[in-house]
Amino acid sequence: MKKTYSEENYLKAIYHLSKMESKVSPKAIADALENNPASVIDMLKKLQDKLLITYDKFNGAFLTSSGELAALDIIRKHRLWEVFLVEKLNYGWDEVHDIAEQLEHIHDDQLAKKLDDYLGNPAVDPHGDPIPSSNGKMPVYATTLLSDISVGQSCKVGSVRDTSAPFLKYLKQLGLGLGATIYVIEKQEFDHSMVITINDGEQKTVSHKMTAHILVIPG
Amino acid sequence: MKKTYSEENYLKAIYHLSKMESKVSPKAIADALENNPASVIDMLKKLQDKLLITYDKFNGAFLTSSGELAALDIIRKHRLWEVFLVEKLNYGWDEVHDIAEQLEHIHDDQLAKKLDDYLGNPAVDPHGDPIPSSNGKMPVYATTLLSDISVGQSCKVGSVRDTSAPFLKYLKQLGLGLGATIYVIEKQEFDHSMVITINDGEQKTVSHKMTAHILVIPG
DNA sequence: CGGTATTATTAGGTATGTCTAATTATATTA
DNA sequence: TAATATAATTAGACATACCTAATAATACCG
């Protein structure tokens, strides 16, 4: 079933938020889409009617399997177009997001596949984010634990090994989102706690229990 | 001033119709956009308020200079994207129109220029239609008069040397639109009248006065 | 010229997706 | 726990762009 531009943007936002937060609330979606919680509630009802999400106020929004497929399809197109813009049209990696936001909504059965082939089936977009496969799987390229990163090295958050509320809540509080850049300043031999900066922010200390649950892409 | 998707489609339709018909009427626009004359009237008012067209019921709709610039910009993007889809993504020339209809509405200051350069500054789209320049000029590649085409040859209507109502009206009646394919069956020595088929339709006889006012692209 | 067909226009309504303001529910914290 | 802050929700409105149905204007044709 074809989706509107707006529906696609909600699905994408919910997908990304669900990787970051324990609960995807109307408020969080409204912040992400820079619109109003009231508007979000309306749309959540519509998406639920279309069986693309489930929503209740206690658990927040979750993508159904068809919703997740749709979200991954949009993300795939977004990232493929970003590769095109940078590799072929010589845009800077920082200029392409807004254009890809528009291009991702172009509908055509063959387009993503043809673009993918033309670009040489890239694994990641210009920001290093993995490109979902055509059958709706998000590859996980991050296989290194943050706890295994050496002092003086930097890395990017790839995915997480725990989706419990307290863990994700703490991640959020630290500003440790998917793709966040971590620089390892110090490691304590005694308890393996780590002093890091996140996106060049202020220094923070995190426990081994945390660093052993965060998968990163070194470099 | 930025234009909506829908406004852009109206401007494009009015541009194309104005090349074909002596009068661009609400009915004609509704037919072109496959919508309702009542909807067209609404939009014509809005476009007039924005100084993109002039409209009155006796003369129909005309693009203002800013309206024409906007229309040519959309047409430029449409045709550049068609070249991309055919040349780079290996679409067939008959598959690209609907995708280009979507891509032409992507907004970015640098995109058309970058795409143009990347494609090697093509002169025409996959259907042979000229690509407007970035400063809003539609090149005229047709320089051969239909009257100079030999018996047994075919050609495409490129542009016309007369924009008077009776002439354009007659053109329309014959089905001789921009891009129509003409095949020359016979030429009378006496009065230089010509027997032709238009888009492989039935044979028609046209006078020398007509054929001397139609510019075509041979082949 | 007058009747008929075609167009143009207006009026009013619909769907989408947004908004503000008011209300209710939940969370926080003193 | 009670007060307060934050979030969720409802109600009502607005803009865009479309629609149908009715009416007015124009064009066509015998």
Side-chain angles (χ1 to χ4, degrees):
Chain A
M1 200 218 292
K2 68 179 181 304
K3 286 138 204 102
T4 66
Y5 189 107
S6 197
E7 285 170 354
E8 291 182 345
N9 281 335
Y10 276 89
L11 293 174
K12 189 167 55 118
I14 293 167
Y15 179 90
H16 288 310
L17 289 169
S18 72
K19 301 293 165 186
M20 277 292 307
E21 326 219 356
S22 54
K23 181 183 162 183
V24 180
S25 65
K27 169 81 162 62
I29 296 169
D31 289 348
L33 298 177
E34 296 183 292
N35 69 3
N36 190 298
S39 311
V40 174
I41 297 275
D42 286 349
M43 184 58 96
L44 292 183
K45 281 176 189 153
K46 190 183 303 180
L47 292 172
Q48 196 160 32
D49 289 347
K50 294 194 174 188
L51 305 178
L52 294 165
I53 67 164
T54 60
Y55 172 70
D56 68 87
K57 93 173 76 168
F58 298 106
N59 298 301
F62 285 92
L63 294 172
T64 61
S65 56
S66 65
E68 177 161 320
L69 273 178
L72 286 167
D73 186 53
I74 302 297
I75 293 166
R76 171 172 160 79
K77 289 190 276 181
H78 181 103
R79 294 182 178 171
L80 286 171
W81 280 117
E82 286 200 343
V83 174
F84 169 72
L85 293 169
V86 170
E87 301 273 309
K88 303 296 185 180
L89 299 196
N90 298 309
Y91 275 95
W93 64 270
D94 55 327
E95 302 175 301
V96 297
H97 185 78
D98 290 348
I99 313 172
E101 288 281 300
Q102 299 173 63
L103 287 164
E104 71 191 9
H105 300 291
I106 304 292
H107 286 285
D108 180 74
D109 287 347
Q110 302 177 72
L111 187 55
K113 180 171 175 16
K114 282 180 177 280
L115 189 60
D116 189 31
D117 288 345
Y118 174 59
L119 297 170
N121 311 110
V124 296
D125 76 11
H127 308 97
D129 296 313
I131 296 172
S133 65
S134 56
N135 59 358
K137 301 258 188 296
M138 178 70 87
V140 179
Y141 290 105
T143 51
T144 309
L145 288 173
L146 173 54
S147 52
D148 294 334
I149 300 291
S150 309
V151 167
Q153 293 244 283
S154 64
C155 57
K156 273 178 75 175
V157 176
S159 61
V160 290
R161 275 196 166 177
D162 184 331
T163 51
S164 73
F167 177 69
L168 292 169
K169 199 168 160 184
Y170 186 24
L171 272 187
K172 186 190 172 186
Q173 197 179 306
L174 288 166
L176 268 176
L178 260 183
T181 298
I182 295 173
Y183 177 70
V184 180
I185 292 169
E186 191 182 322
K187 276 165 112 169
Q188 283 299 338
E189 239 184 277
F190 172 63
D191 66 355
H192 304 287
S193 66
M194 225 179 221
V195 178
I196 60 175
T197 61
I198 296 157
N199 292 328
D200 298 319
E202 61 187 41
Q203 295 186 13
K204 297 205 169 143
T205 302
V206 286
S207 71
H208 182 257
K209 184 162 181 183
M210 281 299 286
T211 60
H213 283 85
I214 298 171
L215 290 164
V216 297
I217 301 140
Chain B
M1 198 218 294
K2 67 179 184 306
K3 285 139 205 101
T4 66
Y5 189 106
S6 196
E7 285 169 355
E8 292 182 345
N9 281 336
Y10 275 89
L11 293 174
K12 190 167 53 115
I14 293 167
Y15 180 88
H16 288 310
L17 288 170
S18 72
K19 300 293 166 188
M20 276 294 304
E21 326 220 356
S22 53
K23 180 182 164 184
V24 180
S25 65
K27 170 78 162 61
I29 297 169
D31 288 347
L33 298 177
E34 295 184 292
N35 69 5
N36 189 298
S39 311
V40 174
I41 296 274
D42 286 350
M43 184 58 96
L44 292 183
K45 280 176 190 154
K46 189 182 304 177
L47 293 172
Q48 196 160 30
D49 289 347
K50 294 194 175 188
L51 305 178
L52 294 166
I53 67 163
T54 60
Y55 173 70
D56 67 86
K57 94 173 77 169
F58 298 106
N59 299 301
F62 284 93
L63 295 172
T64 63
S65 55
S66 66
E68 179 161 316
L69 273 177
L72 285 167
D73 186 54
I74 303 298
I75 293 166
R76 171 172 162 77
K77 289 191 278 181
H78 181 102
R79 293 183 179 170
L80 285 171
W81 280 117
E82 286 200 343
V83 173
F84 169 72
L85 293 169
V86 170
E87 302 273 308
K88 303 295 185 182
L89 299 195
N90 298 309
Y91 276 96
W93 65 270
D94 55 328
E95 301 175 302
V96 296
H97 185 78
D98 291 348
I99 312 171
E101 288 280 301
Q102 298 174 63
L103 287 165
E104 70 189 8
H105 301 290
I106 304 293
H107 286 285
D108 180 73
D109 287 346
Q110 302 176 72
L111 187 55
K113 180 172 174 14
K114 282 179 176 281
L115 189 60
D116 189 30
D117 288 346
Y118 174 59
L119 296 171
N121 311 111
V124 294
D125 77 9
H127 309 97
D129 297 312
I131 296 173
S133 64
S134 57
N135 60 358
K137 301 259 188 299
M138 178 70 86
V140 178
Y141 290 105
T143 52
T144 308
L145 290 173
L146 173 55
S147 52
D148 293 332
I149 300 293
S150 311
V151 168
Q153 293 242 284
S154 63
C155 57
K156 272 179 75 176
V157 176
S159 60
V160 291
R161 275 197 165 172
D162 184 330
T163 53
S164 71
F167 177 69
L168 293 169
K169 199 168 161 183
Y170 187 25
L171 273 187
K172 187 192 172 186
Q173 196 179 309
L174 289 166
L176 268 176
L178 260 182
T181 297
I182 295 174
Y183 177 69
V184 180
I185 292 169
E186 191 183 322
K187 276 165 112 168
Q188 283 299 340
E189 237 185 277
F190 172 63
D191 65 356
H192 303 289
S193 66
M194 225 179 222
V195 177
I196 60 176
T197 62
I198 297 157
N199 292 326
D200 299 320
E202 61 188 41
Q203 295 186 13
K204 297 205 170 143
T205 303
V206 286
S207 71
H208 182 257
K209 184 163 183 185
M210 283 297 288
T211 61
H213 283 85
I214 299 171
L215 289 163
V216 297
I217 302 142

